[in-house]
Amino acid sequence: MTLFRYGEDDRELRAFIRANFVTGKSDVSRVRINRNNFISIYLKWLVEVKPTISVDWDKAKANGILDADFYLADILSEHNVTLREKLFVLLRQDYYELDRRVDDMGLFDSKRAEFTDRRKAHKRFWNRYDRPPRREYWDNIVLRRDKLVPQDVRERKGSFFTPRQWVELSQDYLAAELGEDWQDEYTVWDCAAGTGNLLAGLTNRYNVWASTLDEQDVRVMNDLIASGGLNLLDGHVFQFDFLNDPFTKLPQPLQDIINDPEKRKKLVIYINPPYAEASNARTIAGTGENRSMLAKETNVYKKYQNVYGTATRELFAQFFIRIYHEIQGSTLAEFSKLKILQASNFCDFRKNFRAKLGRCFIVPASTFDNVNGAFPIGFFIWHLDINEVFRRTAIDVYDSNGNGEGHKNIYSYDGDGLIIEWLRQFYDKKGKSIGFLRMVGTDIQNYRGVFISNQLSDNDIKKAPIYIRD
């Protein structure tokens, strides 16, 4: 029996009627899952199926176990058995199996999650859909697991899918910077790999390593390797908490490179790290909470906060700081916001992060699926073996379609006066001014904070020259 909820499943119901209410048709056709509808089906699955799985989801999420992996186990199954054995969660007809591993005694161990209703809701839900999807969609759906991951988890753990056009462009820039044979001459390590899409297009799998915070992402990459969707070696993919774990936990070949000054010169750290920060646009607007604990809980923060100041509140900066100090002489190729180059709260960062900036480009942040806001994201190649303070660069600019739009000059302005300081000398608290030009920040990230207001903020009054306040 196939049931639809009137008013909520209208699209599926219409598709069902069109496919089945046909003269001469005797069998029933269900809605086929594909790479375009698997997200909308997931949202319905959250309402109907997830509550019937015997999991404390708050505790599970705190331990890195997400409902998205249960959903993947469902859609990539046939006769209620998951077809991709390397996924983190597997459907085993009437229960889920997860966290499979060999214990300290050398015995196979795993956890299981049952259904609370004898799988009634699960059976009723999946009677509407034809699963698994066509075989050519499997890798794409697994690779886009990030679309199913909650926003707060994506920001904290770096589940940001780098669009393929920018992956290809960044690798073109690396070839131009390091030479056409760079993939054979250099070792590449993505220490914030997620599901590994940044490494797509690299050809020498023997020289490529990928680590990620979550074991689930390791399983996804192993699954993609097995299917031919990712050109890596299973042994080169591993779980590693870059902001907390010691390098002694790394595979020995990587330790050998990091511990050898000459080998480090041929190491490229190639990353699109997490962008979580102590505050964001929601905090500034008063609609969200300050999230400083995200960054302050890491070992990197505790070790370098006194040197790098407020920059350590941002997780992506913590990646760069550890790489700069603890993998000296390597090459850092990274995607990040432009505040690393020009934000005033990154002044201490630029004083201490002394490296030569090579080729770089910027693109609209809106081209990244999980990033909101109309600001640029850049790709930068840093030579960490050259001591140089960043002052300015002419950065290549591309539109959302990948078309070049010339260059833009970017300056740090460290040591120079800022326009906000100049403006404050004209502030008149006594009411003679008819308006004030407000600036929340002086970097390109805060363009939305530039506007005209008819009154000063408390912070403006606090920071205005003393003779104005009097």
Side-chain angles (χ1 to χ4, degrees):
M1 179 176 65
T2 302
L3 297 178
F4 295 91
R5 296 177 299 171
Y6 187 77
E8 296 183 33
D9 299 324
D10 287 355
R11 180 181 298 179
E12 288 89 345
L13 180 57
R14 289 192 182 97
F16 181 83
I17 292 173
R18 284 195 299 268
N20 293 285
F21 285 73
V22 178
T23 303
K25 182 176 176 59
S26 58
D27 57 335
V28 175
S29 298
R30 298 180 176 87
V31 177
R32 189 70 180 265
I33 298 174
N34 57 50
R35 59 186 176 183
N36 297 317
N37 66 8
F38 81 97
I39 297 174
S40 62
I41 294 173
Y42 165 69
L43 298 176
K44 298 177 184 296
W45 180 94
L46 288 176
V47 175
E48 297 184 49
V49 179
K50 177 182 175 179
T52 69
I53 303 173
S54 59
V55 172
D56 184 327
W57 293 107
D58 290 334
K59 290 183 178 178
K61 182 180 177 182
N63 287 280
I65 297 174
L66 303 177
D67 53 51
D69 295 299
F70 289 78
Y71 175 69
L72 284 179
D74 273 2
I75 62 175
L76 295 174
S77 67
E78 189 171 34
H79 306 304
N80 289 314
V81 176
T82 303
L83 301 172
R84 306 280 290 241
E85 280 291 322
K86 289 183 177 290
L87 293 177
F88 183 73
V89 177
L90 302 176
L91 178 61
R92 301 298 197 190
Q93 292 190 335
D94 58 355
Y95 69 92
Y96 296 96
E97 184 181 59
L98 64 151
D99 199 20
R100 302 176 307 283
R101 63 184 68 236
V102 177
D103 63 20
D104 294 337
M105 298 176 61
L107 301 175
F108 178 81
D109 189 21
S110 67
K111 295 181 176 65
R112 61 189 286 169
E114 310 279 352
F115 291 94
T116 60
D117 65 345
R118 297 184 180 181
R119 209 176 64 81
K120 291 180 181 178
H122 185 272
K123 184 183 299 183
R124 184 168 60 247
F125 181 84
W126 287 115
N127 275 344
R128 302 179 212 153
Y129 304 101
D130 188 4
R131 56 182 176 138
R134 283 162 44 185
R135 180 63 184 81
E136 58 263 34
Y137 297 149
W138 290 11
D139 284 351
N140 181 266
I141 289 173
V142 171
L143 191 61
R144 294 318 313 268
R145 173 180 174 270
D146 67 300
K147 283 179 170 285
L148 311 175
V149 176
Q151 178 71 15
D152 62 326
V153 175
R154 290 197 299 263
E155 291 177 342
R156 184 173 69 256
K157 296 185 176 181
S159 300
F160 289 97
F161 186 91
T162 313
R164 185 58 186 267
Q165 62 177 337
W166 308 138
V167 172
E168 294 175 353
L169 186 62
S170 69
Q171 292 173 11
D172 289 342
Y173 272 60
L174 279 165
E177 186 76 13
L178 304 178
E180 291 185 3
D181 298 327
W182 76 279
Q183 293 191 49
D184 296 323
E185 296 175 359
Y186 287 79
T187 298
V188 178
W189 178 21
D190 183 351
C191 55
T195 55
N197 82 291
L198 186 59
L199 303 175
L202 298 183
T203 56
N204 190 345
R205 58 180 178 169
Y206 298 98
N207 283 2
V208 181
W209 297 80
S211 63
T212 183
L213 184 61
D214 286 332
E215 183 63 30
Q216 293 95 313
D217 285 334
V218 173
R219 295 292 182 88
V220 167
M221 284 189 278
N222 289 152
D223 177 79
L224 291 168
I225 291 169
S227 69
L230 196 58
N231 186 30
L232 295 175
L233 298 175
D234 269 326
H236 284 202
V237 178
F238 57 98
Q239 188 278 330
F240 185 75
D241 184 347
F242 190 83
L243 299 182
N244 290 290
D245 288 342
F247 286 158
T248 53
K249 290 184 63 175
L250 294 173
Q252 192 59 51
L254 262 184
Q255 288 190 50
D256 293 342
I257 293 172
I258 288 174
N259 294 330
D260 187 322
E262 289 303 314
K263 290 181 179 179
R264 286 200 302 266
K265 293 179 181 179
K266 291 294 184 178
L267 174 63
V268 176
I269 311 295
Y270 181 35
I271 54 174
N272 181 10
Y275 294 160
E277 57 187 281
S279 63
N280 61 12
R282 294 188 299 275
T283 310
I284 295 170
T287 58
E289 297 181 356
N290 190 284
R291 304 175 299 168
S292 61
M293 290 309 295
L294 286 178
K296 291 181 179 179
E297 293 172 349
T298 72
N299 289 335
V300 171
Y301 177 89
K302 296 170 185 176
K303 185 175 181 179
Y304 294 104
Q305 190 273 335
N306 289 336
V307 177
Y308 282 85
T310 56
T312 54
R313 295 179 183 176
E314 309 219 27
L315 293 181
F316 81 90
Q318 291 186 21
F319 274 83
F320 304 162
I321 290 167
R322 187 180 192 190
I323 292 166
Y324 176 78
H325 285 279
E326 300 179 26
I327 315 180
Q328 296 177 358
S330 60
T331 299
L332 172 60
E334 50 87 2
F335 285 89
S336 69
K337 303 173 184 177
L338 266 65
K339 57 177 63 179
I340 188 177
L341 303 181
Q342 59 172 189
S344 57
N345 62 345
F346 270 66
C347 182
D348 288 338
F349 179 94
R350 288 187 291 274
K351 289 178 182 177
N352 294 281
F353 186 91
R354 294 169 174 258
K356 181 176 177 57
L357 178 59
R359 286 173 172 81
C360 50
F361 64 80
I362 55 174
V363 299
S366 58
T367 58
F368 290 70
D369 284 349
N370 298 322
V371 180
N372 297 319
F375 59 89
I377 287 180
F379 176 72
F380 309 93
I381 302 174
W382 298 94
H383 298 279
L384 305 186
D385 59 336
I386 301 176
N387 187 321
E388 185 174 297
V389 177
F390 173 76
R391 297 297 183 191
R392 67 176 296 274
T393 189
I395 197 167
D396 298 336
V397 180
Y398 292 88
D399 66 16
S400 58
N401 295 316
N403 300 314
E405 294 190 331
H407 310 282
K408 181 175 180 60
N409 291 322
I410 302 291
Y411 301 87
S412 71
Y413 296 104
D414 291 338
D416 296 329
L418 300 176
I419 191 172
I420 187 65
E421 297 169 355
W422 174 80
L423 281 170
R424 283 179 176 140
Q425 68 179 305
F426 300 105
Y427 286 173
D428 181 357
K429 187 181 174 184
K430 298 178 180 179
K432 295 180 181 179
S433 300
I434 62 173
F436 305 92
L437 178 61
R438 295 278 291 108
M439 295 188 68
V440 172
T442 55
D443 63 287
I444 198 169
Q445 186 81 17
N446 288 293
Y447 75 97
R448 287 178 297 180
V450 180
F451 56 90
I452 294 176
S453 174
N454 60 5
Q455 62 183 5
L456 292 170
S457 69
D458 291 340
N459 188 58
D460 288 328
I461 296 172
K462 177 181 177 182
K463 292 189 175 183
I466 188 66
Y467 64 85
I468 294 178
R469 294 203 301 272
D470 292 341

